[in-house]
Amino acid sequence: MAKSDTHMTMRVVNHIRTLIETGDLQPGDRIPPEREFARRLRISRASLRTGIGYLAAMGVMDVRHGVGTFVADGPPELGKSSLSLLGALHGFQSWQMFEARRILESELAALAAERGREQHISAMSEEIAEMYATVNDPIEYLIHDVRFHRVIAQASGNPILAALMETITSALYDERRKTAERSRDLKESADLHREIYRAIRSRNSREARAVMERHLTAAQSAQDLEISGGPPPPPENGQATKKARRKPVAV
Amino acid sequence: MAKSDTHMTMRVVNHIRTLIETGDLQPGDRIPPEREFARRLRISRASLRTGIGYLAAMGVMDVRHGVGTFVADGPPELGKSSLSLLGALHGFQSWQMFEARRILESELAALAAERGREQHISAMSEEIAEMYATVNDPIEYLIHDVRFHRVIAQASGNPILAALMETITSALYDERRKTAERSRDLKESADLHREIYRAIRSRNSREARAVMERHLTAAQSAQDLEISGGPPPPPENGQATKKARRKPVAV
DNA sequence: TATATTTTAGTGGTCGGACCTCTGCAGCAC
DNA sequence: GTGCTGCAGAGGTCCGACCACTAAAATATA
């Protein structure tokens, strides 16, 4: 994969990676204190920290000040703000985010209909109930909304697609919460979610995909109206002209 | 988003993020030397390096020993080995990788058929020609294969989906290259790619999606046969039981 | 005794400043 | 011109000290 000799960073990364692959390290496990670990690996604490920082940025490690460093637990997740950062860099458009989400979640819903288990079905049911119970509390509603979609992702049986979805939705979350307070028609939203749920429960993957797509398209429209008047869905693209500035930019 | 006060790391990240958002920093730009930058930000070089390391892990910065640190150029890309790392951690299955790729690329092909521009069409055409020209050189063939799919991703007009695809394919690349040498039937593969190309050129998104799906399904079968006898597509999943080990694991 | 407070040990976070290694290029020898 | 050498500038590594946070033990208090 990469050189394991030079570059202390990669040495650390590969070492830990190996520990994970051999099962010596599992989610939730704590690694030794930095000072001790560094001594054992015959490298400086600074270099060790560089490697750990890399893994932490990837979402593989969870560093807690004053407590310890742990292998990430919970659902797989790429770097939390990675997409947000990349978006700032490459100027991602809002409609592109929504489109990506729409495509991913539609397929996720279809897979969930095929593979979802009882536990997932009932978990969805619970979230639906909570949504109906909080139609007048947009903030709370949003929480269950997010959970519902997350359960579908789990039910799909494909943690990779689930992780990708999580990456996108987390980049979208801040924006959603801002507009959530002014949300209305949560009843309609809940109804749509219920339709999705029913499609999944009845193992109708085509229907699940279709309703999910309808739901997310509607959500996008609502969001666009909240933000600015004109939602600009017209797509385009182009290859950025290469350039190679040699001097550091002013900061 | 995150605290900008404490945590030097996030201070650096947010600072650079702001520079990018305001357009002061653009892809390809070089940031000041670490020593100078650190002095200017009133922080230690070590802290600055931590922040830069975070951004580098995210694929936002490109650090070159002895040269300088640059804002990432080229196509957007999440952390290169992030999925690979997460896979080791959560035990992603090969079929899950393929499934994710199949879904993403099928939709990408459909979008490319709707939005692809002349430049993309001709770029695809070139790669197809190269593929036919290298049917007896699997290694070289693979290069053009990858490029072809990358052009489609660009033609889709959605850089987010393109970045997600890139993340998956790069995690799959090593495995592909290993088996590439023993590949046969590259002629058939090229034919399929040509079908995809034609569908896109004729703006037939349904056809493009269908053929792409067929192509990737075939590719998966071929890969499975190369690796081990039985491809285990049966899906399942379950919620890992939470645990909280307190003591560091042996290393 | 039960509870609130303080102390303390352990862990990650920051610092600065020395030295190493790599890269690109100017300048020199051929 | 071609090729080698040396140098300057950039990131990489290291050390050792000290700061900041957390959780749990020890102590004070009701």
Side-chain angles (χ1 to χ4, degrees):
Chain A
M1 168 138 307
K3 316 126 188 180
S4 62
D5 48 345
T6 53
H7 283 353
M8 297 292 99
T9 295
M10 283 311 154
R11 197 143 98 192
V12 174
V13 170
N14 287 327
H15 183 82
I16 294 183
R17 181 204 185 84
T18 300
L19 290 178
I20 291 176
E21 286 173 343
T22 59
D24 290 328
L25 271 181
Q26 297 196 343
D29 284 349
R30 196 180 79 184
I31 67 175
E34 294 181 349
R35 292 164 178 83
E36 180 189 338
F37 204 3
R39 198 181 329 123
R40 207 179 312 184
L41 294 182
R42 290 338 192 263
I43 63 177
S44 73
R45 193 181 154 212
S47 294
L48 173 65
R49 280 177 59 75
T50 304
I52 290 177
Y54 184 90
L55 291 168
M58 293 285 180
V60 175
M61 304 291 289
D62 180 15
V63 185
R64 295 186 228 165
H65 189 177
V67 183
T69 303
F70 304 78
V71 177
D73 203 352
E77 196 173 338
L78 304 205
K80 297 208 171 190
S81 51
S82 56
L83 246 196
S84 172
L85 248 2
L86 271 197
L89 179 56
H90 293 88
F92 291 164
Q93 305 291 312
S94 188
W95 66 266
Q96 295 169 334
M97 291 268 207
F98 274 106
E99 181 174 86
R101 188 189 171 204
R102 177 158 31 87
I103 288 175
L104 272 177
E105 295 221 38
S106 298
E107 297 297 329
L108 244 14
L111 290 177
E114 296 174 9
R115 306 172 182 167
R117 301 190 163 186
E118 278 312 312
Q119 54 183 119
H120 302 124
I121 307 291
S122 55
M124 288 180 213
S125 177
E126 283 184 37
E127 297 303 336
I128 296 277
E130 289 294 331
M131 288 165 87
Y132 275 113
T134 57
V135 286
N136 293 317
D137 184 350
I139 303 292
E140 194 67 18
Y141 181 92
L142 179 57
I143 293 177
H144 297 291
D145 186 339
V146 169
R147 280 194 198 160
F148 178 76
H149 287 272
R150 192 171 287 155
V151 172
I152 290 180
Q154 287 183 225
S156 77
N158 192 321
I160 299 163
L161 288 171
L164 297 183
M165 182 206 86
E166 203 69 41
T167 302
I168 294 180
T169 51
S170 75
L172 243 30
Y173 189 76
D174 286 325
E175 200 172 344
R176 292 182 69 191
R177 202 175 44 184
K178 286 179 191 169
T179 60
E181 296 176 352
R182 298 188 297 279
S183 296
R184 277 147 308 189
D185 308 324
L186 290 185
K187 175 67 165 53
E188 288 182 28
S189 172
D191 287 341
L192 258 180
H193 282 91
R194 188 149 159 272
E195 273 194 63
I196 297 172
Y197 162 70
R198 288 187 166 181
I200 292 177
R201 191 186 54 180
S202 58
R203 305 293 181 191
N204 188 336
S205 64
R206 295 172 61 90
E207 174 78 2
R209 188 197 337 257
V211 181
M212 176 64 88
E213 182 154 358
R214 188 146 50 90
H215 160 50
L216 291 179
T217 301
Q220 177 176 4
S221 302
Q223 189 83 351
D224 284 337
L225 291 179
E226 286 285 343
I227 300 292
S228 60
E236 49 44 64
N237 65 71
Q239 182 70 346
T241 40
K242 295 280 181 179
K243 67 200 130 54
R245 298 196 192 179
R246 286 307 167 199
K247 291 201 173 184
V249 81
V251 286
Chain B
M1 172 137 310
K3 316 122 188 182
S4 63
D5 48 346
T6 53
H7 283 350
M8 297 291 96
T9 294
M10 283 311 155
R11 198 142 97 193
V12 174
V13 170
N14 287 328
H15 183 82
I16 294 183
R17 180 204 187 85
T18 300
L19 290 177
I20 290 176
E21 285 173 344
T22 58
D24 290 328
L25 271 180
Q26 297 196 342
D29 284 350
R30 195 180 77 183
I31 67 175
E34 294 181 350
R35 291 164 179 85
E36 180 189 338
F37 205 3
R39 200 181 326 125
R40 209 180 312 183
L41 294 183
R42 262 42 159 232
I43 62 177
S44 73
R45 195 183 152 210
S47 294
L48 174 64
R49 280 178 60 73
T50 305
I52 290 177
Y54 184 90
L55 291 168
M58 293 282 184
V60 175
M61 304 290 289
D62 181 15
V63 185
R64 294 186 229 165
H65 189 176
V67 183
T69 303
F70 304 79
V71 178
D73 204 354
E77 196 172 339
L78 304 206
K80 298 210 170 189
S81 50
S82 55
L83 247 197
S84 170
L85 248 1
L86 272 198
L89 180 56
H90 293 90
F92 291 165
Q93 304 291 312
S94 188
W95 67 266
Q96 295 169 334
M97 290 270 207
F98 275 105
E99 182 175 84
R101 188 188 170 204
R102 177 156 33 87
I103 288 175
L104 272 178
E105 295 221 39
S106 298
E107 297 298 328
L108 243 14
L111 290 176
E114 296 173 9
R115 305 170 182 169
R117 300 189 163 187
E118 279 312 313
Q119 53 183 122
H120 300 125
I121 307 292
S122 54
M124 287 179 214
S125 177
E126 282 184 37
E127 297 303 337
I128 295 276
E130 290 293 333
M131 289 166 87
Y132 275 112
T134 57
V135 285
N136 293 317
D137 183 350
I139 303 294
E140 193 67 18
Y141 181 93
L142 179 57
I143 293 176
H144 296 291
D145 186 339
V146 170
R147 281 194 198 160
F148 178 77
H149 287 272
R150 191 171 288 154
V151 173
I152 291 180
Q154 288 182 223
S156 77
N158 192 320
I160 299 164
L161 288 170
L164 297 184
M165 182 205 86
E166 203 68 42
T167 301
I168 293 180
T169 51
S170 74
L172 243 30
Y173 190 76
D174 285 325
E175 201 173 344
R176 291 181 71 191
R177 203 174 45 182
K178 286 178 191 170
T179 61
E181 296 176 351
R182 297 189 297 278
S183 296
R184 278 148 307 189
D185 308 325
L186 290 184
K187 176 67 166 51
E188 287 181 29
S189 172
D191 287 341
L192 258 180
H193 282 91
R194 188 150 159 269
E195 273 193 65
I196 296 172
Y197 162 70
R198 287 187 166 180
I200 292 176
R201 192 185 55 182
S202 58
R203 306 292 180 192
N204 188 336
S205 65
R206 295 172 61 89
E207 173 77 1
R209 189 198 336 257
V211 180
M212 176 64 88
E213 183 154 357
R214 187 146 50 90
H215 160 50
L216 291 178
T217 301
Q220 177 176 3
S221 302
Q223 189 83 353
D224 285 336
L225 291 179
E226 286 285 342
I227 301 294
S228 59
E236 47 45 63
N237 66 69
Q239 183 71 346
T241 39
K242 296 279 181 180
K243 68 198 129 54
R245 299 196 192 180
R246 286 305 169 199
K247 291 201 172 183
V249 82
V251 288

